[in-house]
C-alpha cells in the first residue's frame, strides 16, 4: 500500500512538472554568434533586424570564423535583388564620354544610382555595427542621404542652383507624401489600423516645421525688401540661418542618441551580427561613394539635353525625377516594413529622412555654396516653399493621433500627384524671367510704333 502511494506521488510529480524549455538552458550573452548557433538550428540563426535579410542564414552556418574576402563580396552582391541593376554602372559612366545622347545618358545613370544607393545603406549599416551604437548612429545619420548630397554638390559646382534647390525640396516632398503615403496605404491594406510612437514622430515633424519656417522667412524677406532680386542681405540671412539649422541638427542627434534614446529604441526579435570586417567595409564605402560621384556627374551633365529633348523644366527634373534616384531604396524598405506592421521603423525612414535633408543637407549646401562663391541661398521660391509648408502641415495633422490607416495614405498620395501636376506646368524661374522681359519689350515696341 505504501509503495502504491509513493508511485502515485512520483507519477503526480512527473505529470505536473513543466516540460523542459529554452529558459532552462544556460544563459547566453547577447550578440554571441557561436553560442546562438550551438543552441539553434540553421533556420533559426538571427542575422539582422533588416526588413530584407542580408543573406540566407545557411550562408553563415558552418562558418564560425570570419568570412574571407570572396564570401564578403558575395554577401554584398546578394544583399538585395536590386543589385542586378549594377550592370548599368559601367555603361552609364561610359555613355557620358562616348557621345551618346543626353536622354540615354540620363536614363542609364538614373538606373545605375538606384542599386548604389542601396549598397551605401547596407555597407553603412555594416560599419555601424562594428563601431558601436553611438558612432554607428552618427555614421548612419551622416551617410543616410549621401546620394542626394553628392548630386547636389555636383549640380552646385556646375551652377545648376535651381536644380539643387528643386532636388532638396523634392526629396523632402517625396519622403513626406510619396513614401509615407505608400506606407500608410500598404500597411492599411493589410491591417485595419496601425500604431506608432507618437512622441518620436511628432519630434521629427516639429523639426520639419522649424526647417520649413527657415525657408518661409527668406521668401517673406524677398517679398517685402526693395530691390529684392539683387539684395545682398538675402545671402547673409541664409548663411546665418544655415548655421543655426546645423546646430539644431547636432543637438537633435544628441537628443536621439543620449538624452532620449528610449524614444527611438525598437524591439527586435533577432540579433544584429556584423558580417563585414571594418577595413573592408570602409574600402567598399569609399568605392561605392566614388561610383556614385561618377554616375551623378554624368547624370547632372545630361539634364540640359534631357530638358530640351523632353520639354521638361529644370524644376520638374530636380523636384520629381532626381529624388527617385536617391530615395528608391528607402522607398522599398519603408513600404516593406509597413506591411510587416513595423510603423515606427517606416515612419523613421520617411519622416526621419525628410528631417535630415531639411536640417542637414539644405543648410550644408548653403555653407558649401558660400565657400565655393556660388549664389546658393535658402530662398527656394514662393511656390516650392508654399507646397512644402502645406505638406508638413498635412503630415502633422495625420500623425498627431499616433495611428494610421489606408485612407490617410490616399490623402498623402493624392497631394503628391497634385503637386507633381502643378510642377509639370510651372516654368523655370530663369525662363519665366526671360519671357517676361521679352514680353515687356515687345509691348513697349508696339506702343512706340502705335504712338508714331
Amino acid at each position: 500500500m505504501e509503495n502504491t502511494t509513493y508511485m502515485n506521488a512520483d507519477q503526480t510529480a512527473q505529470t505536473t512538472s513543466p516540460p523542459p524549455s529554452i529558459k532552462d538552458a544556460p544563459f547566453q550573452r547577447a550578440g554571441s554568434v557561436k553560442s546562438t548557433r550551438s543552441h539553434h538550428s540553421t533556420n533559426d540563426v538571427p542575422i539582422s533586424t533588416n526588413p530584407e535579410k542580408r543573406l540566407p542564414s545557411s550562408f553563415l552556418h558552418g562558418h564560425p570564423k570570419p568570412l574571407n574576402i570572396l564570401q564578403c563580396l558575395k554577401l554584398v552582391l546578394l544583399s538585395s535583388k536590386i543589385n542586378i541593376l549594377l550592370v548599368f554602372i559601367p555603361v552609364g559612366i561610359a555613355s557620358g564620354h562616348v557621345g551618346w545622347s543626353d536622354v540615354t545618358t540620363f536614363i542609364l545613370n538614373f538606373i545605375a544610382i538606384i542599386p548604389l544607393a542601396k549598397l551605401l545603406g547596407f555597407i553603412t549599416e555594416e560599419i555601424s555595427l562594428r563601431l558601436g551604437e553611438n558612432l554607428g548612429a552618427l555614421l548612419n545619420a551622416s551617410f543616410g542621404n549621401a546620394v542626394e548630397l553628392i548630386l547636389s554638390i555636383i549640380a552646385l559646382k556646375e551652377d545648376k542652383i535651381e536644380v539643387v534647390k528643386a532636388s532638396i525640396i523634392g526629396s523632402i516632398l517625396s519622403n513626406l507624401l510619396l513614401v509615407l503615403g505608400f506606407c500608410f496605404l500598404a500597411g492599411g491594406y493589410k491591417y485595419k489600423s496601425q500604431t506608432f510612437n507618437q512622441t518620436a514622430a511628432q519630434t521629427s515633424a516639429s523639426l520639419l516645421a522649424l526647417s520649413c519656417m527657415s525657408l518661409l522667412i527668406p521668401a517673406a524677406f524677398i517679398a517685402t525688401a526693395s530691390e529684392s532680386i539683387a539684395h545682398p542681405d538675402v545671402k547673409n540671412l541664409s548663411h546665418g540661418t544655415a548655421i543655426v539649422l546645423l546646430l539644431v541638427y547636432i543637438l537633435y542627434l544628441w537628443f536621439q542618441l543620449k538624452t532620449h534614446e528610449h524614444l527611438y529604441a525598437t524591439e527586435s526579435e533577432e540579433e544584429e551580427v556584423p558580417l563585414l570586417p571594418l577595413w573592408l567595409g570602409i574600402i567598399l564605402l569609399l568605392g561605392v561613394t566614388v561610383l556614385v560621384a561618377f554616375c551623378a556627374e554624368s547624370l547632372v551633365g545630361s539634364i540640359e539635353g534631357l530638358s530640351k529633348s523632353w520639354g521638361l523644366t529644370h524644376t520638374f527634373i530636380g523636384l520629381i525625377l532626381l529624388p527617385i534616384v536617391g530615395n528608391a531604396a528607402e522607398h522599398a524598405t519603408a513600404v516593406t516594413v509597413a506591411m510587416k506592421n513595423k510603423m515606427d521603423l517606416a515612419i523613421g525612414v520617411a519622416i526621419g529622412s525628410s528631417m535630415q535633408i531639411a536640417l542637414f543637407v539644405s543648410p550644408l549646401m548653403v555653407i558649401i555654396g558660400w565657400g565655393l562663391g556660388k549664389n546658393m541661398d535658402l530662398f527656394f521660391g514662393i511656390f516650392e516653399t508654399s507646397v512644402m509648408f502645406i505638406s508638413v502641415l498635412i503630415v502633422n495633422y495625420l500623425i498627431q493621433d499616433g495611428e494610421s490607416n489606408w485612407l490617410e495614405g490616399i490623402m498623402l498620395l493624392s497631394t503628391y500627384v497634385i503637386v507633381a501636376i502643378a510642377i509639370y506646368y510651372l516654368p523655370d524661374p530663369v525662363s519665366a524671367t526671360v519671357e517676361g522681359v521679352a514680353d515687356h519689350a515687345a509691348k513697349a515696341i508696339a506702343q512706340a510704333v502705335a504712338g508714331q
Side-chain angles (χ1 to χ4, degrees):
M1 191 69 180
E2 292 179 357
N3 293 336
T4 306
T5 304
Y6 286 127
M7 290 177 60
N8 291 338
D10 293 338
Q11 291 175 356
T12 305
Q14 292 176 3
T15 305
T16 57
S17 60
S21 62
I22 298 177
K23 294 181 180 180
D24 297 330
F27 175 74
Q28 298 177 6
R29 183 174 60 88
S32 176
V33 182
K34 294 182 180 179
S35 61
T36 303
R37 288 176 187 151
S38 62
H39 291 279
H40 295 279
S41 62
T42 304
N43 297 329
D44 296 331
V45 177
I47 295 180
S48 170
T49 56
N50 274 354
E52 298 179 6
K53 291 187 178 180
R54 297 175 184 155
L55 206 67
S57 57
S58 58
F59 183 84
L60 285 178
H61 187 66
H63 294 279
K65 296 181 180 180
L67 305 178
N68 57 43
I69 296 180
L70 292 179
Q71 291 172 334
C72 290
L73 294 178
K74 180 180 178 181
L75 182 148
V76 173
L77 293 177
L78 297 179
S79 61
S80 175
K81 296 179 180 179
I82 301 178
N83 290 342
I84 194 175
L85 300 178
L86 291 172
V87 296
F88 287 92
I89 295 176
V91 182
I93 295 176
S95 64
H97 300 85
V98 296
W100 291 359
S101 65
D102 289 334
V103 175
T104 303
T105 301
F106 183 91
I107 294 176
L108 290 175
N109 288 279
F110 184 93
I111 298 174
I113 293 179
I114 293 176
L116 288 175
K118 184 69 174 178
L119 281 181
L120 271 179
F122 174 79
I123 297 171
T124 301
E125 185 178 356
E126 282 289 327
I127 299 177
S128 301
L129 294 176
R130 294 288 184 183
L131 295 179
E133 182 178 357
N134 293 334
L135 289 178
L138 183 60
L139 182 67
N140 274 320
S142 302
F143 279 85
N145 297 285
V147 175
E148 293 91 338
L149 189 60
I150 294 173
L151 283 170
S152 299
I153 292 175
I154 293 177
L156 184 63
K157 290 178 62 178
E158 297 186 6
D159 290 325
K160 292 183 172 63
I161 297 177
E162 297 302 325
V163 175
V164 175
K165 294 181 177 180
S167 64
I168 291 175
I169 295 292
S171 297
I172 297 174
L173 293 180
S174 66
N175 280 298
L176 281 182
L177 302 179
L178 187 63
V179 179
L180 193 60
F182 271 119
C183 288
F184 286 173
L185 180 61
Y189 175 78
K190 191 173 182 181
Y191 303 94
K192 185 175 182 180
S193 179
Q194 295 177 290
T195 59
F196 49 85
N197 190 328
Q198 183 179 359
T199 304
Q202 283 286 357
T203 301
S204 298
S206 300
L207 290 172
L208 266 177
L210 171 64
S211 61
C212 184
M213 182 270 297
S214 68
L215 301 183
L216 285 173
I217 290 179
F221 187 86
I222 288 286
T224 57
S226 59
E227 300 179 1
S228 57
I229 300 299
H231 207 294
D233 290 337
V234 177
K235 292 179 64 177
N236 298 330
L237 171 63
S238 299
H239 296 160
T241 304
I243 295 174
V244 172
L245 290 180
L246 287 176
L247 291 176
V248 171
Y249 180 71
I250 294 174
L251 294 176
Y252 165 73
L253 292 179
W254 181 263
F255 177 87
Q256 181 182 12
L257 302 179
K258 284 292 184 181
T259 62
H260 290 72
E261 69 274 7
H262 61 280
L263 296 177
Y264 302 90
T266 57
E267 297 181 359
S268 59
E269 300 176 356
E270 300 173 343
E271 298 175 0
E272 292 189 83
V273 179
L275 305 175
L276 296 180
L278 181 59
W279 65 270
L280 182 59
I282 294 175
I283 293 176
L284 290 176
L285 182 64
L286 294 177
V288 173
T289 304
V290 171
L291 290 177
V292 171
F294 279 119
C295 292
E297 185 176 5
S298 300
L299 182 73
V300 173
S302 62
I303 288 179
E304 195 69 33
L306 178 72
S307 176
K308 294 179 180 179
S309 299
W310 285 4
L312 301 176
T313 63
H314 290 79
T315 304
F316 183 85
I317 295 174
L319 209 147
I320 300 298
L321 296 183
L322 291 185
I324 298 176
V325 177
N327 298 328
E330 292 181 347
H331 292 186
T333 300
V335 175
T336 301
V337 297
M339 295 184 68
K340 295 180 179 180
N341 203 24
K342 298 180 180 179
M343 290 304 296
D344 284 323
L345 182 56
I347 290 180
V349 171
I351 300 182
S353 297
S354 299
M355 187 271 301
Q356 287 181 2
I357 294 172
L359 283 182
F360 177 66
V361 176
S362 60
L364 184 61
M365 292 310 303
V366 172
I367 300 298
I368 293 176
W370 189 8
L372 296 177
K374 304 295 183 180
N375 190 26
M376 179 67 188
D377 51 42
L378 289 176
F379 175 61
F380 283 32
I382 302 296
F383 177 81
E384 293 87 344
T385 306
S386 302
V387 168
M388 179 179 171
F389 172 76
I390 295 173
S391 302
V392 172
L393 187 65
I394 293 175
V395 171
N396 268 287
Y397 278 135
L398 293 182
I399 67 174
Q400 64 183 356
D401 59 349
E403 295 183 359
S404 63
N405 53 64
W406 65 267
L407 183 58
E408 294 180 350
I410 293 295
M411 296 178 189
L412 294 177
L413 292 175
S414 61
T415 304
Y416 187 79
V417 172
I418 294 173
V419 170
I421 294 174
I423 292 172
Y424 179 79
Y425 293 104
L426 181 70
D428 283 329
V430 177
S431 62
T433 303
V434 173
E435 291 175 359
V437 172
D439 292 342
H440 182 73
K443 291 180 181 179
I445 294 175
Q447 291 176 359
V449 172
Q452 292 178 353

